[in-house]
Amino acid sequence: MKMLINVAETVVADALRGMAAAHPELTVDVENRVIVRRDAPVAGKVGLVSGGGSGHEPLHGGFVGPGMLSAACPGEVFTSPVPDQMVRAAAAVDSGAGVLFVVKNYTGDVLNFDMAAELAEDEGIRIAKVLVDDDVAVTDSLYTAGRRGTGATLFVEKIAGAAAEEGRPLEQVEALARRVNENARSFGVALSACSTPAKGSPTFDLPAGELELGVGIHGEPGRERRAMMTSREIADFSVHAVLEDLDPRNPVLVLVNGMGATPLLELYGFNAEVQRVLTERGVPVARTLVGNYVTSLDMAGASVTLCQVDEDLLRLWDAPVRTAGLRWGM
């Protein structure tokens, strides 16, 4: 596989150096692997810290900035960051109002954020945590016990980030983040495997002419493999899988997310089919976001995330945000 890299060992550091050059509004500590909004800590504001393995960009570093995360901790590719990174990030953004850790449900992330929370609290930082576990495809996987954390992470970080920007206290920001996660579900489909820089070849075998229904963002197996399907058929399967688990009474936010190698031409066409299914099922759509936001390196495919919202959650979703990967209203 051809990759635009120097050597596999420096991929993350090289990307962080490039991010620092492109985004002077961020403080990027390449050596310690921490990305912080430059104006942190903001007086009276709850800090939001998230992180995970690299390879899912713009998640999480691309979501650092006003209206979203205060800091992010990138690990090596598909590998959890270490507790020292998280403690350093928490200390950098804590104004005395406390810090919320947003944790995707993968075993390494959960263990390391738990350890970091204890260490940060020993340093006098109030910590709250929310676990994102929105993927309905499988209950357990290679990387986690329980549901995987995927596309809903974006909704949690955006809505909780807006609440923190308003000056809401830690307990309220945490409760909002939990409410978003409880009301969000995702399902992903892979059309091709991804290739890590270290391996230089596909990480799993997906024969030509087949797709993986319910794939994880590290290439974990899903529900089943089938012969290639049309966009219409994939939308039917994916949205029905989500709605089997989520029975929205309110309008929903829709994220049609690319896995990294699927062009917008295809994603917008897929979104048309997703919207068709939602209309047929009588599910009103409040807002839609289409693009590559929670990726898996160079995997071709897409995921669908739905999150039912009330007036408060929708207002927080619409609130201004200015990050490398998401921005509006500023």
Side-chain angles (χ1 to χ4, degrees), residues 7 49 62 65 73 80 107 114 123 131-132 148 166 170 172 176 191 198 214 218 225 237 240 244 261 284 292-293 329:
V7 294
V49 174
C73 308
S80 173
T107 302
D114 283 349
E123 295 185 8
L131 188 69
V132 182
R148 303 174 293 214
E166 289 183 348
L170 180 61
Q172 287 188 23
L176 271 169
L191 309 183
H218 308 96
R225 287 190 178 180
F237 194 101
H240 287 313
E244 282 177 3
N292 289 286
Y293 294 100

Side-chain angles (χ1 to χ4, degrees), residues 61-126:
F63 298 147
V64 175
M68 216 159 173
L69 292 177
S70 306
C73 308
E76 292 296 328
V77 173
F78 290 178
T79 303
S80 173
V82 297
D84 284 351
Q85 289 174 261
M86 302 159 188
V87 174
R88 190 179 296 271
V93 304
D94 180 40
S95 67
V99 174
L100 177 66
F101 283 166
V102 179
V103 188
K104 300 191 305 303
N105 188 31
Y106 295 97
T107 302
D109 290 0
V110 172
L111 292 174
N112 286 347
F113 270 104
D114 283 349
M115 186 179 301
E118 294 179 9
L119 294 170
E121 286 170 345
D122 288 343
E123 295 185 8
I125 303 171
R126 281 198 303 142

Side-chain angles (χ1 to χ4, degrees), residues 151-152 154-155 185-189 231 234-235 238-239 242 252-260 262-276 278 285 287-295 301-307 317 326:
L154 184 152
F155 290 147
R185 301 289 189 275
S186 297
F187 190 89
V189 178
S231 177
I234 295 170
S238 301
V239 177
V242 170
V252 296
L253 303 176
V254 179
L255 171 62
V256 172
N257 171 69
M259 294 295 198
T262 302
L264 278 171
L265 179 69
E266 296 177 31
L267 290 177
Y268 277 119
F270 183 55
N271 178 56
E273 298 298 343
V274 169
Q275 302 288 332
R276 172 189 57 80
L278 292 172
V285 174
R287 302 286 186 273
T288 300
L289 185 64
V290 179
N292 289 286
Y293 294 100
V294 183
T295 63
S303 62
V304 177
T305 304
L306 304 181
C307 178
W317 173 256
L326 199 70

